[in-house]
């Protein structure tokens, strides 16, 4: 990567310079950004779409340095004391394009942050709804168990009530086989035995 052709544009040379300082290979840039293979080695400039792709993935690279060569290469890095030699502009009006791209990058970052916050809020809302549904399910199960217990109690009460109202079949419908015998008088029984002949007593 240190052999940079003179014919390629300033933007490509700066991208390759950044990649060389970070130890990034060309094929990694193509894979990570979606830029077509071989673009960085071709003559000519770099499209706005490819610049946006590169800046979106390698967010530590300073858009100002990439587009103008001013300031530090990396964001949050102090600018070198000796400014690099001025380089020719990539094409007329490119400074305005730089500013527009920087604004777009900032807007995209803000939109991504907003979407991330919205997604996290929605996830928390879904989790809260799931907890509420689970609580309602447990409450329904408890109510069903309570209803079942009451139904069993009612059933037992009905059985007890029917048992109390049911007449005693043995006492209601069972008649005595014969009239009860009068109580036996020992004296009368003895006199009756004396009055009967002895043969009658042993008559089968």
């Amino acid at each position: 990567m240190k052999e940079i052709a003179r014919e390629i544009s300033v933007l490509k040379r700066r991208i390759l310079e950044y990649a060389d300082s970070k130890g990034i290979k060309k094929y990694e840039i193509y894979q990570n950004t979606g830029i077509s293979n071989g673009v960085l080695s071709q003559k000519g400039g770099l499209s706005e779409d490819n610049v946006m792709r590169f800046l979106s993935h390698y967010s530590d690279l300073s858009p100002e340095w990439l587009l103008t060569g001013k300031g530090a290469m990396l964001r949050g890095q102090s600018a070198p004391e000796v400014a690099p030699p001025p380089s020719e502009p990539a094409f007329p009006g490119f400074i305005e394009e730089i500013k527009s791209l920087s604004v777009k990058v900032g807007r995209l970052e803000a939109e991504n942050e907003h979407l991330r916050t919205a997604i996290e809020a929605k996830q928390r809302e879904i989790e809260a709804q799931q907890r509420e549904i689970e609580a309602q399910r447990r409450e329904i199960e408890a109510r069903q168990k309570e209803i079942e217990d009451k139904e069993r109690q009612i059933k037992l009460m009905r059985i007890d009530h029917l048992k109390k109202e049911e007449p005693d079949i043995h006492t209601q419908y069972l008649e005595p086989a014969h009239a009860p015998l009068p109580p036996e008088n020992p004296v009368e029984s003895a006199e009756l035995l004396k009055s009967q002949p002895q043969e009658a007593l042993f008559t089968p």
Side-chain angles (χ1 to χ4, degrees):
M1 260 195 211
K2 292 183 179 180
E3 296 180 358
I4 303 173
R6 283 182 168 277
E7 293 80 5
I8 64 176
S9 69
V10 176
L11 282 178
K12 292 179 180 178
R13 277 187 280 169
R14 290 179 184 145
I15 287 176
L16 295 176
E17 182 181 349
Y18 164 80
D20 184 61
S21 68
K22 302 283 285 188
I24 302 172
K25 305 297 182 182
K26 284 184 182 179
Y27 74 89
E28 293 177 334
I29 295 176
Y30 298 141
Q31 289 179 351
N32 295 332
T33 63
I35 297 175
S36 301
N37 292 339
V39 169
L40 296 177
S41 300
Q42 296 173 357
K43 296 180 181 180
L46 196 64
S47 67
E48 178 182 342
D49 184 56
N50 285 333
V51 172
M52 287 293 295
R53 290 179 179 178
F54 188 84
L55 289 174
S56 296
H57 184 79
Y58 297 102
S59 57
D60 62 335
L61 178 63
S62 170
E64 182 181 4
W65 178 85
L66 175 63
L67 301 175
T68 65
K70 296 179 180 180
M73 176 190 295
L74 303 178
R75 292 186 177 185
Q77 186 181 49
S78 301
E81 296 180 358
V82 179
S87 56
E88 67 278 10
F91 52 84
F94 197 68
I95 301 300
E96 288 74 12
E97 291 293 331
I98 292 172
K99 295 178 180 179
S100 176
L101 289 174
S102 298
V103 172
K104 289 180 180 179
V105 170
R107 187 182 300 116
L108 288 174
E109 290 177 349
E111 289 178 358
N112 289 338
E113 181 65 21
H114 176 73
L115 289 174
R116 185 185 63 80
T117 303
I119 291 172
E120 291 177 353
K122 182 60 67 176
Q123 288 177 343
R124 289 193 296 270
E125 181 180 350
I126 292 173
E127 291 174 357
Q129 290 177 351
Q130 289 176 343
R131 288 193 297 270
E132 183 178 356
I133 291 172
E134 180 64 20
Q136 291 178 353
R137 184 185 64 80
R138 289 195 296 267
E139 183 178 357
I140 291 172
E141 291 178 353
R143 293 286 181 85
Q144 288 177 343
K145 186 177 182 301
E146 183 180 352
I147 291 172
E148 292 174 358
D149 293 341
K150 289 184 177 179
E151 288 178 348
R152 284 194 294 270
Q153 292 177 1
I154 293 173
K155 187 175 180 180
L156 293 174
M157 292 173 64
R158 287 178 177 175
I159 292 173
D160 292 340
H161 183 70
L162 290 174
K163 285 183 178 180
K164 291 178 180 179
E165 291 186 350
E166 184 178 359
D168 190 350
I169 297 176
H170 298 286
T171 59
Q172 183 176 4
Y173 299 101
L174 184 62
E175 295 293 338
H178 53 78
L181 295 174
E184 185 178 1
N185 191 331
V187 177
E188 293 179 357
S189 298
E191 292 178 355
L192 181 61
L193 290 174
K194 290 179 180 181
S195 62
Q196 290 183 356
Q198 294 296 325
E199 293 81 2
L201 294 176
F202 299 98
T203 300

